[in-house]
């Protein structure tokens, strides 16, 4: 029997004082190691522990980063945190003046009331020597159900999909992976050697280790990582779901491997990634740049990395980023905050960050990948948080313009990470979309149960209500029809504003 850390694979040469303190929100258990298909598995049982981002309850907003003596559970503030407008307007009118229908949807499993979410297993898959990929899985017993693979955004990992694993794992087989260079898929050994006795920061050595030759944490590496993971671990075509960076990787992978993809869901997917030219796509231009994310880091890049890393890895900076990307500041994000903070303390984190930032672009642009998916008939579903300050809905509408038949759901209020902010809504929409595809259209798309989808030419809005920790919550979800355009949206907006002025 051996204890397997849930925060990192077993380290061989990690200095004791660099070990990150274990989080109390995830239990560690002694388990037997199994080497089936080079996979190390451990059973994990989660309990909810979270930090709110409200101005009055969240200590991070007041210049403190210590854990409160009594963790705040659930939502702080009143039970109507998602109320839009006045009480008379709720459930009857959206911000564009359209009629809104109230729809009651299931909440997440409430373990405090005896409801059981799907158990989650934490595993390591040895893709190549020294390349240990961390992933989490739930719903393994659902052998006849469709497989789902979740891909994380930049700076996070599989932990960001805990609410999907617990909920959707009751019906499907669900995986979530950490990209190499992120989360718990950071290296277990220093990719560089040094004349110094010990390196407190990995990747800053004098010479590259043989296993890390040509290693760059790039889009192409992550695409290959997903390819071999689907082939060797899952073993069949999957539904891909990606948030932010993970959305781009999902689309890129699907464009190159359509035979392995049943469908792609983009959650506020970033429409671009990388600044340097791709050496295969633009070899002459790529030769101009002397360094493009390989190890070891050049001396000038080390100094820049140390300067930038000191600031972005600061707990206050992490908290500020979370304030930006989550629209509801009363939401508890303690689990996300601590997972990100622990990752920054890994000795390979700083150099891995530099490699990602200076990695070349993908061989296909986002638009090229989208066109290939459309050409190959890969189903695409779009779900975008309306209040995202980074990937604004206009980017989602741009995708919609190129694939007009793709269902588009705009969720409000929700920011850059709708799967974590309003998981009840995202899970409900995912279930409905997959059911529609699996039934070959016999089941209507989500929100269209009362009418045929081909009759929706512009858009409809519905108020999705659910129960979270004993309180009623609701969000407005707008479905964009096949002929919906940005002009339709502007016209609807101004029409509603003029109508309100006339009634005054």
């Amino acid at each position: 029997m051996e204890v397997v850390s849930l925060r990192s694979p077993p380290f061989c040469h990690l200095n004791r004082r660099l070990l990150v303190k274990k989080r109390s929100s995830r239990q560690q258990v002694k388990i037997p190691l199994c080497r089936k298909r080079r996979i190390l598995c451990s059973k994990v049982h989660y309990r909810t522990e979270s930090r709110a981002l409200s101005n009055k309850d969240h200590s991070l907003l007041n210049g403190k980063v210590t854990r409160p003596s009594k963790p705040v559970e659930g939502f702080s503030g009143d039970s109507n945190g998602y109320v839009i407008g006045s009480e008379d307007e709720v459930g009857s009118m959206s911000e564009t003046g359209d009629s809104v229908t109230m729809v009651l949807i299931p909440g997440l499993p409430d373990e405090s009331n005896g409801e059981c979410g799907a158990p989650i297993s934490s595993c390591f898959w040895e893709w190549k020597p020294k390349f240990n990929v961390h992933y989490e899985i739930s719903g393994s017993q659902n052998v006849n159900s469709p497989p789902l693979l979740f891909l994380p955004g930049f700076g996070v990992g599989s932990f960001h999909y805990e609410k999907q694993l617990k909920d959707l794992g009751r019906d499907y087989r669900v995986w979530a992976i950490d990209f190499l260079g992120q989360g718990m898929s950071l290296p277990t050994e220093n990719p560089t050697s040094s004349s110094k006795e010990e390196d407190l920061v990995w990747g800053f050595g004098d010479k590259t280790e043989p296993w890390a030759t040509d290693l760059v944490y790039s889009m192409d590496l992550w695409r290959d990582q997903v390819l071999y993971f689907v082939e060797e671990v899952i073993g069949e075509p999957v539904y891909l779901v990606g948030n932010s960076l993970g959305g781009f990787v999902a689309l890129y992978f699907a464009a190159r491997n359509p035979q392995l993809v049943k469908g792609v869901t983009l959650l506020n997917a970033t429409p671009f990634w990388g600044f340097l030219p791709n050496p295969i796509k633009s070899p002459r231009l790529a030769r101009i740049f002397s360094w493009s994310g390989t190890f070891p880091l050049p001396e000038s890049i080390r100094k820049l990395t140390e300067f930038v890393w000191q600031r972005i890895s600061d707990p206050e900076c992490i908290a500020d980023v979370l304030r930006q990307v989550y629209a509801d500041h009363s939401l508890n994000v303690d689990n996300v905050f601590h997972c990100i903070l622990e990752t920054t303390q890994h000795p390979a984190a700083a150099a891995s960050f530099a490699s990602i930032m200076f990695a070349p672009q993908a061989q296909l642009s986002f638009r090229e990948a989208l066109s290939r998916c459309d050409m190959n008939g890969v189903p695409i579903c779009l779900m975008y948080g309306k209040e995202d300050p980074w990937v604004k809905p206009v980017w989602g509408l741009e995708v919609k313009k190129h694939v007009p038949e793709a269902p588009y759901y705009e969720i409000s209020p929700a920011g850059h990470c709708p799967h974590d902010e309003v998981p009840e809504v995202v899970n409900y929409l995912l279930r409905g979309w997959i059911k529609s595809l699996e039934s070959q259209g016999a089941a209507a798309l989500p929100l269209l149960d009362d009418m045929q989808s081909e009759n929706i030419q512009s858009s409809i809005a519905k108020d999705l209500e659910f129960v979270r920790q004993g309180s009623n919550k609701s969000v407005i979800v707008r479905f964009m029809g096949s002929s919906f355009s940005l002009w339709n949206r502007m016209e609807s907006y101004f029409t509603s504003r003029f109508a309100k002025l006339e009634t005054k």
Side-chain angles (χ1 to χ4, degrees):
M1 304 290 284
E2 182 179 346
V3 175
V4 176
S5 171
L6 301 181
R7 298 308 309 147
S8 60
F11 281 81
C12 298
H13 307 292
L14 181 59
N15 191 296
R16 271 183 175 273
R17 52 186 171 161
L18 295 177
L19 285 172
V20 179
K21 185 178 180 181
K22 299 182 180 66
R23 290 171 52 243
S24 61
S25 59
R26 294 191 179 187
Q27 299 175 355
Q28 292 194 340
V29 294
K30 292 186 177 181
I31 51 93
L33 298 183
C34 58
R35 295 287 285 181
K36 183 179 181 181
R37 287 188 298 191
R38 297 175 295 167
I39 298 171
L40 304 177
C41 301
S42 62
K43 200 55 161 286
V44 185
H45 298 282
Y46 294 88
R47 68 179 178 83
T48 303
E49 180 185 3
S50 49
R51 184 183 299 274
L53 284 176
S54 64
N55 288 320
K56 65 178 181 178
D57 292 324
H58 185 26
S59 60
L60 292 178
L61 301 184
N62 299 319
K64 301 178 182 179
V65 297
T66 56
R67 186 187 302 270
S69 58
K70 294 184 179 180
V72 181
E73 298 290 343
F75 276 67
S76 62
D78 61 66
S79 61
N80 297 317
Y82 281 117
V83 169
I84 306 298
S86 66
E87 293 183 1
D88 294 334
E89 295 171 330
V90 175
S92 63
M93 191 71 66
S94 73
E95 70 166 19
T96 57
D98 299 327
S99 176
V100 178
T101 304
M102 179 72 74
V103 178
L104 183 64
I105 65 173
L108 298 180
D110 188 352
E111 296 180 350
S112 63
N113 289 334
E115 296 181 21
C116 295
I120 303 172
S121 296
S122 180
C123 307
F124 288 98
W125 165 60
E126 187 182 32
W127 175 22
K128 301 175 182 179
K130 313 296 184 182
F131 284 80
N132 294 317
V133 175
H134 174 260
Y135 68 96
E136 295 181 342
I137 179 176
S138 66
S140 301
Q141 72 282 1
N142 303 320
V143 293
N144 295 320
S145 66
L148 281 63
L149 175 59
F150 287 85
L151 305 181
F154 173 63
V156 293
S158 55
F159 61 83
H160 215 198
Y161 290 114
E162 179 181 333
K163 296 166 185 175
Q164 280 66 48
L165 289 159
K166 275 189 171 184
D167 183 17
L168 297 175
R170 298 184 296 175
D171 303 314
Y172 306 104
R173 288 169 293 152
V174 185
W175 287 263
I177 67 173
D178 292 359
F179 288 136
L180 286 169
Q182 295 196 159
M184 293 170 62
S185 292
L186 287 163
T188 59
E189 294 182 13
N190 193 337
T192 61
S193 58
S194 175
S195 57
K196 300 178 183 179
E197 292 186 1
E198 63 176 2
D199 290 320
L200 298 182
V201 181
W202 291 0
F204 283 29
D206 305 319
K207 183 179 179 182
T208 306
E209 292 290 344
W211 64 270
T213 302
D214 298 324
L215 170 63
V216 181
Y217 294 121
S218 65
M219 290 287 293
D220 290 323
L221 176 69
W222 296 327
R223 177 205 62 198
D224 291 344
Q225 176 187 346
V226 175
L227 170 61
Y228 286 100
F229 187 85
V230 171
E231 290 183 336
E232 297 185 20
V233 179
I234 299 178
E236 61 181 288
V238 298
Y239 285 100
L240 287 173
V241 184
N243 171 235
S244 191
L245 167 63
F248 194 161
V249 176
L251 197 67
Y252 185 25
F253 171 79
R256 287 299 185 90
N257 306 278
Q259 76 282 1
L260 294 177
V261 179
K262 296 168 72 70
V264 176
T265 297
L266 302 181
L267 302 169
N268 292 73
T270 180
F272 44 81
W273 191 263
F275 303 100
L276 301 185
N278 187 279
I280 296 178
K281 188 176 182 179
S282 307
R284 293 184 178 180
L285 189 58
R287 282 196 290 268
I288 298 176
F289 300 90
S290 59
W291 185 74
S292 56
T294 55
F295 295 91
L297 275 62
E299 186 64 33
S300 58
I301 299 297
R302 297 180 196 179
K303 295 179 180 179
L304 176 62
T305 300
E306 290 173 350
F307 175 79
V308 174
W309 187 252
Q310 183 179 8
R311 284 155 180 77
I312 67 172
S313 63
D314 181 78
E316 280 296 331
C317 181
I318 296 172
D320 185 59
V321 170
L322 293 178
R323 279 192 295 266
Q324 293 179 40
V325 298
Y326 284 82
D328 180 7
H329 287 180
S330 69
L331 188 67
N332 297 319
V333 293
D334 187 62
N335 183 54
V336 176
F337 171 80
H338 282 284
C339 285
I340 295 174
L341 183 61
E342 287 183 8
T343 300
T344 65
Q345 298 177 36
H346 191 288
S352 298
F353 165 78
S355 177
I356 292 172
M357 290 294 97
F358 286 89
Q361 299 172 345
Q363 294 179 33
L364 296 178
S365 68
F366 186 91
R367 181 171 294 186
E368 290 170 337
L370 183 64
S371 297
R372 285 202 186 187
C373 287
D374 188 37
M375 181 178 61
N376 291 318
V378 177
I380 294 176
C381 182
L382 308 171
M383 301 182 195
Y384 281 70
K386 183 180 178 183
E387 285 72 33
D388 186 348
W390 296 349
V391 184
K392 295 183 179 295
V394 66
W395 291 107
L397 292 174
E398 184 68 18
V399 176
K400 173 71 171 174
K401 184 175 71 174
H402 287 85
V403 283
E405 298 305 316
Y408 181 104
Y409 297 95
E410 185 180 271
I411 308 168
S412 180
H416 188 61
C417 312
H419 61 284
D420 190 50
E421 191 165 2
V422 281
E424 300 87 351
V425 175
V426 170
N427 294 357
Y428 169 79
L429 296 176
L430 271 175
R431 278 191 172 96
W433 182 63
I434 292 172
K435 183 178 180 181
S436 180
L437 288 180
E438 291 291 311
S439 67
Q440 298 181 343
L445 288 169
L447 306 189
L448 304 183
D449 295 339
D450 55 347
M451 58 190 77
Q452 295 298 320
S453 60
E454 56 265 25
N455 293 332
I456 303 300
Q457 295 299 315
S458 183
S459 70
I460 61 170
K462 293 194 177 182
D463 191 337
L464 270 57
E465 185 175 288
F466 51 90
V467 177
R468 180 185 291 173
Q469 297 181 344
S471 299
N472 292 332
K473 308 292 177 183
S474 67
V475 298
I476 295 290
V477 177
R478 179 172 295 278
F479 173 85
M480 312 297 185
S482 59
S483 64
F484 186 84
S485 67
L486 185 59
W487 172 251
N488 295 140
R489 184 180 186 129
M490 292 173 62
E491 183 180 29
S492 178
Y493 175 84
F494 285 114
T495 299
S496 67
R497 288 298 178 266
F498 284 128
K500 288 182 178 180
L501 288 175
E502 292 176 357
T503 58
K504 289 183 179 180

